[in-house]
Amino acid sequence: MTFLDLLAEKKTTVYSLSIKSGIPRSTLTDIASGKADILECSGKTLLAISKSLNVSIEDLLSLEREEAKSLLPGFLLDSINDYRKAIRKDSTLIDCYSDQLNSSINVAEVENLISKEQANRLRLRYFGR
C-alpha cells in the first residue's frame, strides 16, 4: 500500500489531510508523489499524519513508495487513480474499477510497457496476489 492508497482507504485527500494535520500541502504532495520518502520525514510530521489518519507510525513507515509516474503508461495511471477514487467514495462500482485496473496491468505487461516484476508488485499492492 502506498501513501495515496492509504488516503483513499481513509476517504481523504492530500488537501484535507493538510488542513487536518497542519502539515503543508506541498510536503504531503511530495510524499504522495514519491518525490519525498516518508522514511525521511521528521517525527513531528509522522506523528501529525498518524494522528490525523488514525494509523500507527509503524503503519506509515511500512508504506511502499509510489511508482514513478514516468515508469507507468498513462492508461495504467488513470486506472490506478480511478480505483483510488472509487475506494475513497465508497463506489458501488468498485468491482468494475478493480477489473479495469487488473486489465490495465495485464495489458501493460503483455505489451511490455511494464516489467513482469512491476506487474506483480502492482497486483500484490492492489489485489493481494
Side-chain angles (χ1 to χ4, degrees):
M1 175 181 294
T2 67
F3 187 69
L4 285 174
D5 297 330
L6 176 62
L7 292 181
E9 184 180 279
K10 295 295 183 173
K11 305 190 185 345
T12 193
T13 63
V14 168
Y15 177 75
S16 298
L17 179 59
S18 175
I19 291 170
K20 187 173 182 180
S21 67
I23 298 169
R25 188 169 68 183
S26 59
T27 300
L28 295 173
T29 299
D30 286 350
I31 294 168
S33 70
K35 184 177 178 182
D37 193 342
I38 199 158
L39 296 174
E40 296 174 2
C41 290
S42 70
K44 181 179 175 181
T45 299
L46 290 172
L47 185 59
I49 294 171
S50 73
K51 283 185 176 183
S52 297
L53 294 176
N54 197 27
V55 297
S56 70
I57 291 176
E58 291 81 13
D59 288 341
L60 291 177
L61 295 175
S62 69
L63 292 174
E64 297 174 46
R65 197 159 185 176
E66 194 69 32
E67 297 279 340
K69 292 188 189 282
S70 62
L71 298 179
L72 299 178
F75 70 89
L76 181 52
L77 288 171
D78 291 343
S79 293
I80 291 170
N81 290 331
D82 290 345
Y83 181 72
R84 287 175 176 156
K85 286 178 193 173
I87 290 172
R88 192 170 49 245
K89 294 180 180 181
D90 274 334
S91 174
T92 57
L93 301 174
I94 191 69
D95 290 340
C96 295
Y97 289 105
S98 176
D99 289 345
Q100 175 187 340
L101 176 55
N102 190 43
S103 295
S104 294
I105 293 169
N106 292 340
V107 168
E109 181 183 14
V110 168
E111 295 293 326
N112 292 315
L113 301 172
I114 61 173
S115 68
K116 181 177 178 98
E117 292 77 22
Q118 282 178 302
N120 288 337
R121 192 169 46 249
L122 290 169
R123 286 186 193 101
L124 184 60
R125 179 182 297 160
Y126 294 107
F127 311 116
R129 52 184 160 93

